[in-house]
Amino acid sequence: RAEHGRLLIGYAGSMVSTRMLRLLASLREQSGSVELHLTEGITSSLIQSAFDRRIDVALVPLGGEPTPL
C-alpha cells in the first residue's frame, strides 16, 4: 500500500459517473499523501499511454471491438 507519491489516472469521458467520482473520492481519502492526477482522453490513447508508462492506470469502457493501437 502506497502512502506517498503520485498516481496518474487516465479516464475515458464516457466513464465519468457518480460511482466513479465516489470511488476517486474514497481513494483520495484512503491514500494518505498520494497525489492523484486525472487526465481525460480517448480509449486508444489512454491504453497506449498506460503501455508507455505515461499514466499509471487507464479507466476505459469494456466491450465492443478492440481498438488497434
Side-chain angles (χ1 to χ4, degrees), residues 18-49:
T18 303
R19 184 176 182 188
M20 182 182 135
L21 296 175
R22 282 193 308 251
L23 173 69
L24 291 173
S26 177
L27 180 60
R28 183 178 297 272
E29 289 174 10
Q30 297 177 21
S31 64
S33 62
V34 173
E35 295 177 37
L36 299 179
H37 294 269
L38 304 174
T39 185
E40 184 178 358
I42 61 172
T43 298
S44 58
S45 295
L46 293 169
I47 292 170
Q48 188 63 53
S49 292

